[in-house]
Amino acid sequence: MKRLKILIVDDEPITRLDLKEMLEENGYEVVGEGKNGNEAIEKARTLQPDLIIMDVKMPEMNGVKAASVIRGFSDCAVLLLTAYSYRELIEDAKKASINAYLVKPVKERELLPAIEIAFSQREQLQTLNEKVKKMEQKMEDRKKIEKAKGILMKEWNCSEEQAYRQMRQKSMSNQMSLIKLAEQIIERS
């Protein structure tokens, strides 16, 4: 199993130290620490962690705002820590696509499952995003094939089935993918 790279961001040095010890004792790699939202953003860019454990209330920029910015360039999981459990804060965290939320003081028996769940959600989201990209590519390819068929139907005054059959035959005889052939037909028209 891959060793998770974790960034800890909290304005309290003792909290960062406690978290780092808990994490390293349990086999996680702490790749960096920060004390505010701006440092979280900067370190997330440079260190590319798998997970950020971040306090909500910090100077300069809070954890929810920092997480929103980080979501713009990273798909790392984010676990928020706070001494507060206000409903409004929970709603803000959901809008920022936070993966997990723990109320301080953090106990190891709560932290470790939250990390695993947050990371699992991250992996599921990555898998889903990859599937969406593949489906989008298939749709684009299909559109090109349909366009090429339309061009051949006009040029040869033939049916859709005949145009497609001709494309398939040419694709196989030239050992070329159907999409490459479609792109050539579109390009020359």
Side-chain angles (χ1 to χ4, degrees):
M1 184 179 158
K2 180 184 161 203
R3 195 166 171 210
L4 287 181
K5 298 186 309 182
I6 300 177
L7 172 63
I8 301 170
V9 184
D10 196 301
D11 58 330
E12 297 175 22
I14 192 74
T15 301
R16 291 196 308 267
L17 181 63
D18 288 345
L19 287 169
K20 185 175 181 177
E21 286 177 4
M22 268 191 266
L23 294 167
E24 288 178 343
E25 285 173 7
N26 285 282
Y28 296 105
E29 178 185 359
V30 176
V31 293
E33 296 179 33
K35 61 183 175 301
N36 59 53
N38 291 329
E39 285 186 13
I41 294 166
E42 177 188 317
K43 292 186 181 214
R45 272 191 214 283
T46 58
L47 301 173
Q48 299 180 349
D50 299 306
L51 172 74
I52 300 173
I53 299 175
M54 185 162 34
D55 191 13
V56 172
K57 293 215 176 212
M58 295 183 290
E60 296 182 35
M61 181 187 299
N62 73 36
V64 176
K65 285 182 184 172
S68 292
V69 173
I70 291 166
R71 284 283 180 245
F73 64 83
S74 175
D75 64 352
C76 69
V78 178
L79 188 158
L80 283 184
L81 303 177
T82 185
Y84 312 96
S85 61
Y86 301 124
R87 187 78 201 143
E88 182 181 307
L89 187 59
I90 294 168
E91 290 304 314
D92 289 345
K94 287 181 353 187
K95 287 176 189 170
S97 300
I98 302 301
N99 301 95
Y101 184 96
L102 288 175
V103 177
K104 290 179 181 180
V106 177
K107 295 172 182 65
E108 189 172 324
R109 71 177 184 272
E110 296 166 346
L111 178 64
L112 300 180
I115 288 171
E116 293 303 317
I117 289 168
F119 189 67
S120 173
Q121 286 180 341
R122 173 188 180 244
E123 287 180 323
Q124 289 173 1
L125 183 60
Q126 286 176 328
T127 300
L128 185 59
N129 284 338
E130 288 171 17
K131 286 180 181 179
V132 167
K133 283 180 185 172
K134 285 179 184 175
M135 290 303 293
E136 287 172 345
Q137 186 60 53
K138 284 183 180 182
M139 288 295 293
E140 287 303 310
D141 291 352
R142 189 75 211 151
K143 286 178 187 176
K144 288 178 184 176
I145 291 169
E146 291 299 317
K147 186 173 182 176
K149 269 194 314 190
I151 291 167
L152 295 180
M153 288 167 59
K154 270 186 181 173
E155 283 180 6
W156 299 343
N157 194 25
C158 64
S159 71
E160 182 178 358
E161 186 179 327
Q162 290 169 323
Y164 187 68
R165 194 176 315 124
Q166 288 297 320
M167 286 178 66
R168 271 195 3 234
Q169 286 175 350
K170 187 165 185 167
S171 166
M172 291 190 309
S173 68
N174 292 346
Q175 296 182 345
M176 173 188 300
S177 70
L178 201 54
I179 187 62
K180 289 289 181 203
L181 177 62
E183 288 170 344
Q184 285 181 358
I185 291 168
I186 293 167
E187 205 172 282
R188 71 170 169 81
S189 68

